[in-house]
């Protein structure tokens, strides 16, 4: 037996002397596990979202090997296990539909198996929140390791960014500015190494949130996937989790209200994705931290944008790492951050960042000379979004942030695709494009379609932005004057469902207002006539999702998943 004083959770399996102990150990021995794997040393689970269907996470088996080195060096024993992997690009109808399902997989896999601490390997957008949500509901010691961003995309001598450049190239080819051959050529120029999207999209945002929350080791956010220092970080995290088990430092010791406030401030300073709102709300719901959508505006709206990264700026994650990474941003934010917040390496946020150097002020701007003023997410409210809608002003066209325009309504994404390039569509650049039925229940799964492309005839005029409103999300790599997450959503009869062609919509970002200029009486009449669309999901997970998903302003988690059940399992398997 090791010198650990406290009996570890894994000993509830491996420490038994009866029939159950035989069963728990014997089958594990078929993998070559030695006696000392069962002797009371910390058993560390490595929760792996590896999959070849998730290209952003396809290198994770290798990262896991470096975690194992660290665990073994520190006297623990590592056991790697797979959980559902959500590949953002391939998974239909949208990876977000399965975030909660993957979180359940992670939660039950962690709780039901012998482990004393867990390393969470995440990368592609939804893999980070899903396994962090699941792990939070068990509340063991845990460290998240992100897979790291791809190298900068390179196209004809210039940098191009994941996602962001897809939207640009697609507009270019539709407007005839590039050929179809150039469009194909750009595919391999953009994704040219292992790793996740290298813009400040949702994956990079969530990797940064992991670090800002204190759930990741310093520099977790930005080390490129191919940089050997990513392997070093994995090795260090493997060693550190063993000590966290010995010290009994659990997720709930790290994920405090202060940690979430830090994450909100950092998300504003880096120009992070609007998707972080939904994921942070869901994670907070699991650990029981009070957090609401207004906190993002209250705490983030005054924060200047320090990071000059696509889609809000011009650089990419590789440049961010070389410029000093997230510790340099946090150091710059100084007293805007709770520097006493604990992080997984056992130090406070202040201790981790006090000596962080910045090597490139063009990439990471100083606080007194930011890249843009006031970059945080704005939460708009009004009769069109009683519970809120969000906009990312740093990615929007400044003159459209205050706007009045005639609604052009698309009743569904299919309706949008069918009519957007119809030459007879009555639309000009002053109109407000409205898309319905893309919220959590409506799609279902709240897809990233909110940044719907502009009509071809408007693009051909050289105009590349219009106000767009929906109850959906947009990719963190996207940009434009796009109002998202309208809550309540149209599928449950929110006011968005009642908008008609020609209605006037007023957006006032500074005044935090989203107003449909239709009288209350008229809206009541329209509501009376409104009928919910039958989505046609009679069985299976989609039906469970529709029946239990909460609205976006609550994080779109399932109502029955909020909170935690802890790590205890009272019954044996046989
Ligand atoms: Fe996986 Fe962007 S598609 S991170």
């Amino acid at each position: 037996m090791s010198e650990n004083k406290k009996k570890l959770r894994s000993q509830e399996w491996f420490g038994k002397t009866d029939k159950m102990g035989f069963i728990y150990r014997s089958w594990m021995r078929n993998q070559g596990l030695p006696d000392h794997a069962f002797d009371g040393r910390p058993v560390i689970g490595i929760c792996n979202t590896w999959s070849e269907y998730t290209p952003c996470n396809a290198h994770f088996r290798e990262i896991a090997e470096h975690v194992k080195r660290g665990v073994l060096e520190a006297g623990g024993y590592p056991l790697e296990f797979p959980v559902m992997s959500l590949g953002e690009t391939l998974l239909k109808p949208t990876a977000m539909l399965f975030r909660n399902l993957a979180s359940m997989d992670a939660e039950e896999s962690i709780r039901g198996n012998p482990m004393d601490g867990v390393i969470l390997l995440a990368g592609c957008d939804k893999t980070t929140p899903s396994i962090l949500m699941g792990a939070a509901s068990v509340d063991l010691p845990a460290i998240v390791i992100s897979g790291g961003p791809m190298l900068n995309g390179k196209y004809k001598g210039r940098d191009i960014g994941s996602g962001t450049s897809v939207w640009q190239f697609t507009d270019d080819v539709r407007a005839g500015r590039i050929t179809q051959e150039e469009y194909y050529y750009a595919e391999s120029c953009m994704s040219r190494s292992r790793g996740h999207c290298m813009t400040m999209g949702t994956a990079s945002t969530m990797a940064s949130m992991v670090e800002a929350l204190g759930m990741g080791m310093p520099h977790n956010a930005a080390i490129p996937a191919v940089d050997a220092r990513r392997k070093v970080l994995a090795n260090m995290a493997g060693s550190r989790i063993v000590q966290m088990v010995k010290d009994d430092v659990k997720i709930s010791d790290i994920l405090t209200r202060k940690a979430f406030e830090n994450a909100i401030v950092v998300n504003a300073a880096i120009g992070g994705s609007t998707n972080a709102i939904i994921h942070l709300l869901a994670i907070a719901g699991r650990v029981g931290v009070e957090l609401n959508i207004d906190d993002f505006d209250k705490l983030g709206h005054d924060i200047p944008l320090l990071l000059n990264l696509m889609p809000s700026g011009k650089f990419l994650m590789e440049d961010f790492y070389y410029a000093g990474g997230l510790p340099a941003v946090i150091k710059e934010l100084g007293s805007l951050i709770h520097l006493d917040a604990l992080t997984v390496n056992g130090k406070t946020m202040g201790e981790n960042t006090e000596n962080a150097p910045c090597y490139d002020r063009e990439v990471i701007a100083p606080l007194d000379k930011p890249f843009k003023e006031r970059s945080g997410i704005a939460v708009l409210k009004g009769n069109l979004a009683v519970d809120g809608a969000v906009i990312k002003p740093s990615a929007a066209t400044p003159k459209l942030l205050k706007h009045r325009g005639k609604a052009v309504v698309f009743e569904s994404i299919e309706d949008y695709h069918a009519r957007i390039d119809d030459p007879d569509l009555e639309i000009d650049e002053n109109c407000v494009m409205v898309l319905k039925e893309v919220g959590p229940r409506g799609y279902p799964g709240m897809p990233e379609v909110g940044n719907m492309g502009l009509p071809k005839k408007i693009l051909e005029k050289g105009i590349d932005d219009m106000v767009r409103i929906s109850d959906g999300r947009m990719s963190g790599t996207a940009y434009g004057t796009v109002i998202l997450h309208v809550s309540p959503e149209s599928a449950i009869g929110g006011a968005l469902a009642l908008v008609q062609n020609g209605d006037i919509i007023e957006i006032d970002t500074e005044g935090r207002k989203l107003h449909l200029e239709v009288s209350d009486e008229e809206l009541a009449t329209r509501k009376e006539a409104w009928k919910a669309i039958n989505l046609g999901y009679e069985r299976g997970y989609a039906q469970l999702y529709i029946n239990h998903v909460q609205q976006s302003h609550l994080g779109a988690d399932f109502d029955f998943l909020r909170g935690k059940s802890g790590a205890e399992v009272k019954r044996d398997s046989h």
Side-chain angles (χ1 to χ4, degrees):
M1 287 281 170
S2 76
E3 72 280 6
N4 291 323
K5 297 280 184 295
K6 188 181 161 204
K7 189 178 174 195
L8 293 173
R9 181 177 182 270
S10 59
Q11 286 293 295
E12 297 295 329
W13 285 260
F14 299 144
K16 295 198 168 193
T17 53
D18 59 3
K19 174 195 79 178
M20 289 316 304
F22 185 107
I23 290 173
Y24 290 138
R25 287 183 302 271
S26 175
W27 270 261
M28 291 300 279
R29 289 186 195 275
N30 82 353
Q31 303 176 80
L33 265 66
D35 285 346
H36 65 252
F38 309 117
D39 71 356
R41 68 190 60 211
V43 174
I44 305 300
I46 303 173
C47 176
N48 201 338
T49 53
W50 168 86
S51 167
E52 289 181 346
Y53 282 106
T54 307
C56 311
N57 298 16
H59 58 299
F60 280 16
R61 298 299 310 278
E62 194 182 342
I63 293 184
E65 290 308 313
H66 290 273
V67 174
K68 289 177 188 173
R69 289 185 194 182
V71 172
L72 291 167
E73 283 165 13
Y77 203 87
L79 290 170
E80 183 184 353
F81 63 100
V83 289
M84 185 180 192
S85 185
L86 306 176
E88 195 63 28
T89 49
L90 297 181
L91 207 49
K92 291 183 179 185
T94 170
M96 182 64 182
L97 176 62
F98 305 108
R99 183 200 64 178
N100 299 346
L101 178 63
S103 82
M104 292 165 77
D105 181 353
E107 176 177 346
E108 302 306 338
S109 296
I110 293 168
R111 180 180 299 113
N113 279 302
M115 67 187 82
D116 304 300
V118 62
I119 293 283
L120 306 168
L121 297 187
C124 197
D125 295 12
K126 306 303 176 293
T127 58
T128 304
S130 62
I131 58 175
L132 189 47
M133 288 158 67
S137 288
V138 187
D139 201 17
L140 288 176
I143 298 177
V144 185
I145 302 175
S146 303
M150 287 187 266
L151 294 175
N152 290 4
K154 295 282 179 188
Y155 173 81
K156 296 188 176 179
R158 67 180 168 96
D159 282 0
I160 58 171
S162 315
T164 305
S165 297
V166 177
W167 322 129
Q168 288 162 349
F169 283 128
T170 304
D171 283 351
D172 286 347
V173 78
R174 291 178 70 220
R177 292 190 285 265
I178 61 170
T179 64
Q180 190 68 36
E181 283 63 40
E182 288 173 306
Y183 191 56
Y184 291 145
Y185 173 63
E187 289 174 12
S188 47
C189 298
M190 198 181 71
S191 310
R192 65 189 186 92
S193 81
R194 56 169 61 177
H196 59 67
C197 291
M198 84 309 261
T199 42
M200 187 47 80
T202 304
S204 299
T205 299
M206 291 312 295
S208 301
M209 293 300 90
V210 161
E211 193 173 333
L213 286 166
M215 284 301 303
M217 305 289 274
H219 287 293
N220 174 73
I223 302 173
V226 298
D227 194 309
R229 287 166 285 190
R230 179 66 57 187
K231 294 176 182 170
V232 175
L233 183 143
N235 191 314
M236 306 285 285
S239 294
R240 174 62 199 159
I241 189 73
V242 175
Q243 192 58 44
M244 284 176 75
V245 169
K246 291 177 180 168
D247 296 342
D248 198 24
V249 181
K250 298 193 289 294
I251 292 184
S252 55
D253 297 315
I254 308 283
L255 291 183
T256 60
R257 167 86 193 181
K258 281 183 181 178
F260 285 96
E261 292 188 356
N262 282 349
I264 290 171
V265 170
V266 168
N267 192 43
I270 63 174
S273 164
T274 45
N275 287 322
I277 303 171
I278 292 195
H279 300 323
L280 289 173
L281 286 169
I283 296 164
R286 297 298 185 96
V287 279
V289 167
E290 284 298 324
L291 195 74
N292 64 55
I293 191 169
D294 296 317
D295 288 324
F296 288 82
D297 201 326
K298 223 166 35 208
L299 299 164
H301 84 276
D302 262 346
I303 304 296
L305 182 63
L306 301 184
L307 203 52
N308 183 359
L309 251 59
M310 291 184 204
S312 299
K314 69 172 180 181
F315 293 103
L316 293 163
M317 288 299 285
E318 197 184 335
D319 309 307
F320 181 28
Y321 180 54
Y322 304 148
L326 201 67
V329 171
I330 293 174
K331 183 186 176 200
E332 202 56 46
L333 290 167
S335 62
L336 296 169
I337 291 287
H338 298 293
L339 296 171
D340 59 342
L342 183 64
T343 78
V344 288
N345 74 347
K347 298 186 176 155
T348 64
M349 193 58 79
E351 288 167 340
N352 281 340
T353 57
E354 62 194 349
N355 296 316
C358 176
Y359 300 113
D360 190 339
R361 284 298 180 199
E362 224 195 320
V363 179
I364 303 170
L367 190 62
D368 56 4
K369 214 164 164 259
F371 173 52
K372 286 183 190 171
E373 299 286 345
R374 305 174 84 200
S375 74
I377 283 153
V379 177
L380 310 183
K381 288 190 176 170
N383 66 347
L384 191 47
V386 177
D387 292 323
V390 304
I391 184 168
K392 183 175 171 183
S394 65
T397 302
K399 73 171 193 303
L400 290 176
L401 289 171
K402 190 172 168 61
H403 185 77
R404 268 179 93 246
K406 240 195 291 178
V408 175
V409 176
F410 300 98
E411 296 294 335
S412 66
I413 193 68
E414 289 76 21
D415 182 34
Y416 162 80
H417 286 308
R419 294 194 296 122
I420 188 64
D421 285 337
D422 182 343
D424 295 332
L425 181 68
E426 283 187 30
I427 192 166
D428 64 36
E429 56 271 32
N430 298 313
C431 290
V432 174
M433 294 167 67
V434 174
L435 178 59
K436 300 180 185 176
E437 298 291 327
V438 292
R441 280 180 63 123
Y443 198 68
M446 208 183 175
E448 295 185 335
V449 294
N451 57 314
M452 52 195 137
L454 270 46
K456 196 168 171 198
K457 63 183 179 187
I458 299 221
L459 289 171
E460 284 169 348
K461 286 201 246 172
I463 290 160
D464 59 6
D465 196 11
M466 287 172 63
V467 176
R468 288 156 273 179
I469 301 178
S470 75
D471 42 15
R473 299 176 301 118
M474 75 171 178
S475 163
T477 63
Y479 50 86
T481 312
V482 186
I483 296 166
L484 303 153
H485 309 186
V486 169
S487 183
E489 64 171 303
S490 52
I492 62 167
L496 190 69
L498 312 178
V499 182
Q500 296 181 355
N501 277 319
D503 287 349
I504 299 294
I505 295 177
E506 183 197 358
I507 298 111
D508 177 3
T509 307
E510 193 62 32
R512 299 296 190 264
K513 186 172 163 193
L514 182 59
H515 184 66
L516 179 64
E517 295 185 6
V518 173
S519 69
D520 291 348
E521 295 71 34
E522 171 62 15
L523 284 177
T525 309
R526 290 184 192 179
K527 183 72 190 264
E528 195 95 335
W530 176 80
K531 277 194 182 53
I533 294 170
N534 180 357
L535 296 168
Y537 290 98
E538 304 291 319
R539 65 168 296 281
Y541 174 73
Q543 194 194 41
L544 177 83
Y545 185 92
I546 289 165
N547 289 340
H548 291 282
V549 70
Q550 296 182 303
Q551 288 294 286
S552 54
H553 71 282
L554 298 173
D557 199 1
F558 289 155
D559 48 12
F560 62 86
L561 287 179
R562 287 180 79 88
K564 56 186 167 194
S565 306
E568 194 184 0
V569 189
K570 291 207 171 83
R571 289 181 168 166
D572 284 313
S573 67
H574 286 81

